[in-house]
Amino acid sequence: MAAQAELARFGSLKSKRVFITGGGSGIGESIVTGFAEQGAKVAFIDIAVDASLALCEKLAMAGYEKPVFRECDIRDIPALQEIMRTVAADIGDFDVLVNNAGNDQRHNPEEVTLEYWNDRIAINQRPMFFTCQAVIEGMKRRGGGAIINLGSTSWHIANGGYPVYTTTKAAVSGLTRGLARDLGPYNIRVNTVTPGWVMTERQLTMWVDEEGEKLIDQNQCLKGRVAPWHVARMVLFLASDDAAMCTAQEYIVDGGWA
């Protein structure tokens, strides 16, 4: 990552209350870290308990306010919303919501069962709406807020191999634009941040082989590799007052592939 002094600081994020889904590793870890470094009060959920607790300790040891972590399977909507309610009761209504959690498990269209379809929707699509619903009243009380939903370039570039995933990620744009219209009168901004092929530990372990490297080199305009912190920086900007008139938009961070 670039040196801290070389990157922008967003003074408006200091002490803001932020809720992040899937914050324990990968892109989510960078988003949690980025907000903590900006002086925000961060709460996040994940199913990866050990990694999440380690992240909290790491940030506390670095001198930042220790994030609030709660274990949560986002398929359980009542449990998810109850966690959001109780955390907000403890630290205050949220100023920022980041819907990052998801799972890009590969699958063939011929093998998709109704059960599998419903499970993928329950992970990658359904929670985004209900987390947004959970923060609306609090953001109204705060006089506004920012919601950032994580998309994917997979459907933009017509990727195959996981059609239910591309369906859910295409739907993110519809959710963002519809909510931006409904919530704009309350000064609540809603945007999509769409990563390309990000070099997370999961991607490097499971998918980025020699052929994958060639594919990246052929398709990205930029020669480098998209890292989790690149995505996090766009999220920070959109959460900040610097993006005060940005809403209903999709911001792609993919090195110029899509």
Side-chain angles (χ1 to χ4, degrees), residues 134-146:
V135 300
I136 290 173
E137 292 305 317
M139 287 186 175
K140 286 181 181 179
R141 287 190 290 267
R142 298 283 291 171

Side-chain angles (χ1 to χ4, degrees), residues 38-57:
Q38 298 286 331
K41 297 179 180 295
V42 182
F44 73 97
I45 57 170
D46 208 303
I47 57 173
V49 176
D50 291 344
S52 298
L53 292 175
L55 175 59
C56 291
E57 292 302 323

Side-chain angles (χ1 to χ4, degrees), residues 225-240:
R225 296 294 182 261
V226 182
W229 73 267
H230 293 124
V231 180
R233 297 303 300 186
M234 181 62 77
V235 171
L236 294 176
F237 166 71
L238 291 171
S240 75

Side-chain angles (χ1 to χ4, degrees), residues 47 64 70 128 144 151 189:
I47 57 173
Y64 303 112
R70 296 288 184 270
M128 278 200 182
R189 299 180 293 106

Side-chain angles (χ1 to χ4, degrees), residues 183-206:
L183 303 181
Y186 308 105
N187 196 35
I188 300 171
R189 299 180 293 106
V190 191
N191 288 291
T192 298
V193 170
T194 297
W197 201 350
V198 183
M199 300 296 101
T200 63
E201 182 178 348
R202 172 182 167 83
Q203 295 299 315
L204 290 168
T205 299
M206 299 185 69

Side-chain angles (χ1 to χ4, degrees), residues 1 3-15 33-40 63-64 233 236-237 240-242:
M1 179 173 175
Q4 179 86 20
E6 297 174 0
L7 300 176
R9 290 201 59 82
F10 300 102
S12 60
L13 293 179
K14 187 175 182 180
S15 299
T33 299
F35 277 108
E37 290 173 346
Q38 298 286 331
Y64 303 112
R233 297 303 300 186
L236 294 176
F237 166 71
S240 75
D241 290 352
D242 293 58

Side-chain angles (χ1 to χ4, degrees), residues 1-198:
M1 179 173 175
Q4 179 86 20
E6 297 174 0
L7 300 176
R9 290 201 59 82
F10 300 102
S12 60
L13 293 179
K14 187 175 182 180
S15 299
K16 288 292 179 70
R17 299 167 179 89
V18 182
F19 189 88
I20 301 162
T21 67
S25 63
I27 295 172
E29 178 181 357
S30 285
I31 294 171
V32 168
T33 299
F35 277 108
E37 290 173 346
Q38 298 286 331
K41 297 179 180 295
V42 182
F44 73 97
I45 57 170
D46 208 303
I47 57 173
V49 176
D50 291 344
S52 298
L53 292 175
L55 175 59
C56 291
E57 292 302 323
K58 176 183 175 181
L59 291 171
M61 289 293 292
Y64 303 112
E65 183 169 346
K66 187 176 182 179
V68 175
F69 165 66
R70 296 288 184 270
E71 181 183 3
C72 181
D73 184 334
I74 59 175
R75 290 173 292 190
D76 187 341
I77 298 299
L80 170 59
Q81 290 194 316
E82 177 62 14
I83 287 172
M84 295 180 72
R85 187 192 68 78
T86 56
V87 172
D90 288 340
I91 70 172
D93 292 324
F94 299 114
D95 301 285
V96 179
L97 167 66
V98 183
N99 274 309
N100 167 73
N103 188 296
D104 63 348
Q105 185 180 76
R106 271 50 171 178
H107 52 273
N108 296 320
E110 297 87 349
E111 298 171 354
V112 173
T113 62
L114 178 60
E115 181 181 23
Y116 184 83
W117 172 275
N118 288 338
D119 185 65
R120 295 299 95 183
I121 296 294
I123 293 171
N124 292 314
Q125 185 181 70
R126 193 174 66 186
M128 278 200 182
F129 173 81
F130 286 101
T131 54
C132 292
Q133 183 189 66
V135 300
I136 290 173
E137 292 305 317
M139 287 186 175
K140 286 181 181 179
R141 287 190 290 267
R142 298 283 291 171
I147 296 172
I148 299 103
N149 299 319
L150 272 288
S152 169
T153 58
S154 58
W155 66 275
H156 284 277
I157 61 177
N159 268 0
Y162 43 12
V164 188
Y165 178 76
T166 54
T167 298
T168 61
K169 286 304 182 179
V172 175
S173 292
L175 176 65
T176 288
R177 291 183 65 79
L179 284 178
R181 178 64 65 183
D182 289 334
L183 303 181
Y186 308 105
N187 196 35
I188 300 171
R189 299 180 293 106
V190 191
N191 288 291
T192 298
V193 170
T194 297
W197 201 350
V198 183

